[in-house]
Amino acid sequence: MTVPRRPAKLGPYEVVVKIAGGGMATIYLGRARGPGGQQRVAALKVIRHELGHHKSMKAMFHDEAKILARMSHPNIAAHWEHGFDEEEHFIAMELLVGRTLRDVWDACKERKVSLRLDHAAWIAARVADALHHAHSLKDEKGAPLNVVHRDVNPTNIFLTFEGEVKLFDFGLAKARGQSAQSSAGIVKGKLPYLSPEAIEQLPLDGRSDIYTLGTTLWELTTMRRLFKRDDDVETVMATRAGLVPDPRARLPEYPEALWKIIRRALARDREERYQTAGELAGALDAFVESQGQGDDMVSLTSAILDALFPGEREKRAMWLRHTSASRPQRTTLPPPVPVAGMTESMAPPAPAPAQKRPSSKHRIRKA
């Protein structure tokens, strides 16, 4: 079997190295000269070579690019441009270096710690802000695009070492006027995070994303899976039933105000949920404010990543310096994956050797 060669150039970007690959896409590190001659490094998302001739794959890719091109929000991975070059379809995005929320959840689980509840709520509020922006998008004539992400879950929420929260991977997003059409009987999204209406294959709107974000927040604040079961059939049955345990039964200190927010986000009847993601973000921010901690949550996020993944920030910064240099040097340092913009997440590099566990009660609390 012939291995497809790495493209030398995509649009204005020189392709430096492959940094990740998923089920539908390959991610390359690219560099180009920006305004004033300053070099810009980007993550270049390309349809996998063997899928490039499938019309449905191309249509999905183009739909994602068109949606991303209309977005401009600090909590959504930035789209810079997209195009067609030498039979390669590509999307150029900002290169985000950090960890997914799933990585953070797993690391906390391993260390038997968890995030502070107000910090978890703040992260969810920033994702809700991103969703509100996406849900509110309009076309050039001012008509709503009715964007629904359809895949909001911890693997598609990214925390950077600078403390930013980014929602990414709109590869499964639905919007009015798309060229790609979903096949009958196909449910898109990860089973443990589907809304009841997605399971029932009803028409979706932004309230479905609110539900899946509620699932994510419940798990982040309890350190337990909500609907995930031993097999897919049981998972679907649990998701369809939509029974959400009250966290206070196991965690007496769990704030009633936070449970009230999550319970409403997870209402099985979507008419009883928050009707907009902006409304959910407002409720979460009010809860964070009520806790009176007064911390800079951006700095707190950055500090927690450094505590959970010691030394990784420096390793990845060094790797980037090597690979984005005008004459890249050979290096065995790990690439900065996971990378925002993947259609399917890659497994992260092997974790750094265990070091002293973070113990500050102001950062991470005991689970």
Side-chain angles (χ1 to χ4, degrees):
M1 178 177 173
T2 303
V3 178
R5 67 177 179 83
R6 186 183 78 221
K9 199 167 184 180
L10 293 169
Y13 295 93
E14 176 190 357
V15 178
V16 180
V17 66
K18 176 182 173 179
I19 53 179
M24 289 175 59
T26 300
I27 306 293
Y28 295 103
L29 179 73
R31 62 187 178 202
R33 291 295 174 186
Q38 185 175 7
Q39 179 172 271
R40 181 166 72 175
V41 177
L44 304 175
K45 181 176 181 179
V46 182
I47 299 177
R48 281 177 53 182
H49 183 77
E50 60 269 32
L51 300 176
H53 300 294
H54 290 258
K55 290 183 179 180
S56 61
M57 293 296 102
K58 288 182 180 179
M60 286 179 61
F61 197 81
H62 288 170
D63 287 339
E64 179 184 5
K66 288 189 292 185
I67 291 173
L68 290 173
R70 303 196 73 85
M71 294 184 185
S72 179
H73 192 275
N75 299 117
I76 296 176
H79 164 278
W80 286 335
E81 57 193 299
H82 60 273
F84 176 83
D85 189 272
E86 296 181 359
E87 299 185 358
E88 295 281 6
H89 301 256
F90 75 94
I91 301 174
M93 300 165 292
E94 65 174 321
L95 183 69
L96 302 177
V97 183
R99 286 285 186 158
T100 66
L101 192 56
R102 172 60 65 203
D103 293 333
V104 171
W105 193 90
D106 288 341
C108 285
K109 193 78 171 176
E110 180 182 350
R111 291 163 173 76
K112 294 182 171 57
V113 298
S114 62
L115 299 182
R116 253 175 33 191
L117 296 180
D118 61 335
H119 186 210
W122 177 82
I123 291 171
R126 304 291 68 79
V127 178
D129 279 339
L131 287 171
H132 185 66
H133 175 76
H135 296 164
S136 303
L137 286 178
K138 297 180 180 180
D139 65 16
E140 59 278 358
K141 296 181 179 179
L145 284 173
N146 302 324
V147 172
V148 184
H149 187 284
R150 293 201 291 189
D151 203 19
V152 179
N153 68 78
T155 62
N156 287 336
I157 298 168
F158 202 83
L159 307 182
T160 73
F161 283 112
E162 287 70 40
E164 302 166 300
V165 179
K166 301 277 187 174
L167 176 65
F168 67 97
D169 202 344
F170 282 78
L172 295 184
K174 179 187 76 69
R176 180 182 56 78
Q178 283 181 320
S179 53
Q181 300 298 319
S182 297
S183 301
I186 300 298
V187 178
K188 293 189 175 182
K190 293 179 177 61
L191 290 180
Y193 297 95
L194 293 176
S195 65
E197 57 267 31
I199 287 283
E200 300 295 339
Q201 298 187 59
L202 300 174
L204 301 183
D205 57 32
R207 293 172 295 182
S208 180
D209 289 339
I210 289 172
Y211 188 94
T212 54
L213 179 55
T215 302
T216 296
L217 183 55
W218 189 95
E219 293 183 345
L220 191 59
T221 56
T222 63
M223 296 307 297
R224 299 172 63 202
R225 300 301 300 271
L226 180 52
F227 298 125
K228 173 69 174 174
R229 300 293 186 267
D230 291 336
D231 61 53
D232 288 351
V233 173
E234 291 182 358
T235 298
V236 170
M237 291 175 65
T239 305
R240 178 180 283 121
L243 300 178
V244 182
D246 185 339
R248 297 173 298 175
R250 294 183 68 254
L251 304 169
E253 76 282 6
Y254 198 97
E256 181 179 357
L258 181 57
W259 166 232
K260 183 178 178 181
I261 293 170
I262 294 176
R263 183 175 59 192
R264 184 175 174 187
L266 286 170
R268 197 178 188 288
D269 182 349
R270 54 186 168 183
E271 296 296 332
E272 296 177 3
R273 292 177 211 154
Y274 294 99
Q275 296 301 288
T276 71
E279 189 180 358
L280 173 58
L284 288 169
D285 280 333
F287 167 75
V288 173
E289 183 72 20
S290 73
Q291 299 305 289
Q293 298 278 8
D295 289 299
D296 176 355
M297 291 297 184
V298 172
S299 298
L300 182 61
T301 302
S302 178
I304 286 175
L305 283 184
D306 284 334
L308 292 176
F309 307 101
E312 191 168 300
R313 179 201 296 260
E314 293 75 18
K315 287 181 181 179
R316 297 184 183 226
M318 188 182 302
W319 186 89
L320 275 174
R321 285 196 296 270
H322 276 285
T323 54
S324 60
S326 57
R327 292 187 177 181
Q329 304 173 34
R330 293 182 62 85
T331 174
T332 57
L333 291 172
V337 295
V339 177
M342 294 291 294
T343 299
E344 292 185 5
S345 299
M346 281 287 289
Q355 297 188 19
K356 185 177 180 180
R357 292 178 180 175
S359 59
S360 173
K361 66 181 180 179
H362 299 295
R363 292 183 179 179
I364 303 177
R365 63 188 180 90
K366 289 289 183 181

